[in-house]
Amino acid sequence: LVLCQKPAGIGLSWTMSLSDEQPDMSTAQQLCPPDNFGIVESGVFRSSAPGPINFPFVQQLRLQSVVLLSAEAPTRVLTTFFEENRIDVHNLGMQSWFKPGVTWKAISDETVKGATELVLRKSTHPILLCDTTGVNQTGIVVGCLRRLQNWNLNSIVNEYRSFAGSRTRYMNEQFIELFDVDLITIPSEPPDWYVMQTELDELERAEYERLRAGHEFVSDGSLDRKTRIPSYISHYFSFAPISRTKDGI
């Protein structure tokens, strides 16, 4: 497999060759991902709206579903491509856009809720989230998904900015921060990666409760140094800043 960067493009843009050796650029079949293509989780992808040059690459994903988040209607060529490949299209951008009376939002709460619930439905996988640029609406949906996954807000914003680049919008970051994740209904059969993460979160909460029940916290909320736990672990269970003691703990 050979990767060749395109000379120009927005975001994450690469071409892929099926050849094991350095390909002849004039004859080798090139697989060109859509702009701002990325893997969100196993079986979950994000990108801008694919064009004809991207169709061979998108076919390799063997998509079951596509979620369109832009208010614009998809082109006839794109619609035909989805139909020929039997891909279920959920055009949430056309169905629900601005909420009446709220003009600062780039996307409605209903659209984010609907898109996130589709992502969390195992039967829709593999699934692609996309909008016109792959930045604004897609970035917000992925950011709200990360909120549901209990990601740190700084990590969420960093991921959003890594795709947005110069198109970063503060209002989008604010939307991600203020979105009420309790609006999202978890399907009865979520994907394996979500089940695994939920189980890990429960183990971490159980460990926290065990430490608290054992009175291993001091008055400032940090772990008692007598427990001999490394500082990077004690910080995870504490709001106190990381500090290094003389004995290196």
Side-chain angles (χ1 to χ4, degrees):
L1 180 66
V2 180
L3 296 180
C4 306
Q5 188 173 15
K6 293 198 300 185
I10 301 175
L12 305 179
S13 301
W14 299 84
T15 57
M16 300 173 60
S17 171
L18 296 178
S19 174
D20 292 332
E21 301 177 354
Q22 186 66 28
D24 179 355
M25 301 303 289
S26 62
T27 60
Q29 180 184 7
Q30 298 296 308
L31 300 181
C32 182
D35 289 335
N36 283 310
F37 176 82
I39 300 175
V40 180
E41 292 288 350
S42 177
V44 182
F45 310 97
R46 59 173 293 172
S47 74
S48 62
I53 193 175
N54 310 128
F55 290 168
F57 176 86
V58 175
Q59 285 179 320
Q60 302 301 311
L61 302 178
R62 294 180 172 84
L63 296 176
Q64 176 72 26
S65 311
V66 169
V67 180
L68 303 179
L69 299 168
S70 297
E72 299 84 0
T75 63
R76 183 178 297 274
V77 174
L78 185 58
T79 301
T80 301
F81 171 76
F82 290 149
E83 291 175 352
E84 291 178 348
N85 289 272
R86 299 181 179 179
I87 299 174
D88 296 331
V89 179
H90 305 271
N91 198 342
L92 301 186
M94 293 290 290
Q95 297 174 10
S96 175
W97 190 240
F98 290 109
K99 187 176 180 180
V102 182
T103 59
W104 65 270
K105 294 183 178 181
I107 191 172
S108 68
D109 290 357
E110 291 79 6
T111 302
V112 174
K113 169 181 166 63
T116 306
E117 290 177 355
L118 285 170
V119 169
L120 294 176
R121 192 183 304 166
K122 189 175 183 179
S123 60
T124 65
H125 290 192
I127 187 171
L128 173 68
L129 299 169
C130 64
D131 61 60
T132 303
T133 63
V135 171
N136 295 314
Q137 291 78 32
T138 300
I140 290 175
V141 171
V142 172
C144 293
L145 173 65
R146 301 308 192 195
R147 285 273 318 281
L148 189 65
Q149 293 178 284
N150 295 319
W151 275 36
N152 178 277
L153 185 60
N154 287 335
S155 299
I156 297 174
V157 171
N158 285 338
E159 182 183 38
Y160 166 77
R161 292 178 179 176
S162 69
F163 284 90
S166 60
R167 300 186 182 188
T168 297
R169 296 179 183 176
Y170 172 73
M171 64 178 64
N172 292 348
E173 297 177 2
Q174 188 178 33
F175 182 102
I176 294 171
E177 181 179 4
L178 299 178
F179 179 75
D180 184 5
V181 295
D182 290 335
L183 294 174
I184 299 172
T185 302
I186 307 301
S188 58
E189 294 186 7
D192 295 340
W193 51 263
Y194 183 80
V195 174
M196 181 180 297
Q197 182 169 9
T198 302
E199 292 174 351
L200 291 175
D201 287 343
E202 291 300 324
L203 290 174
E204 290 167 358
R205 291 191 187 95
E207 176 66 8
Y208 176 84
E209 294 298 330
R210 185 189 68 79
L211 294 171
R212 188 174 67 171
H215 304 288
E216 298 182 22
F217 291 97
V218 293
S219 59
D220 65 353
S222 61
L223 286 169
D224 190 342
R225 295 296 180 181
K226 295 180 180 179
T227 59
R228 307 286 295 180
I229 296 178
S231 58
Y232 76 94
I233 294 181
S234 64
H235 178 74
Y236 186 85
F237 292 104
S238 170
F239 293 105
I242 294 178
S243 59
R244 189 177 183 86
T245 59
K246 294 182 180 179
D247 57 3
I249 299 301

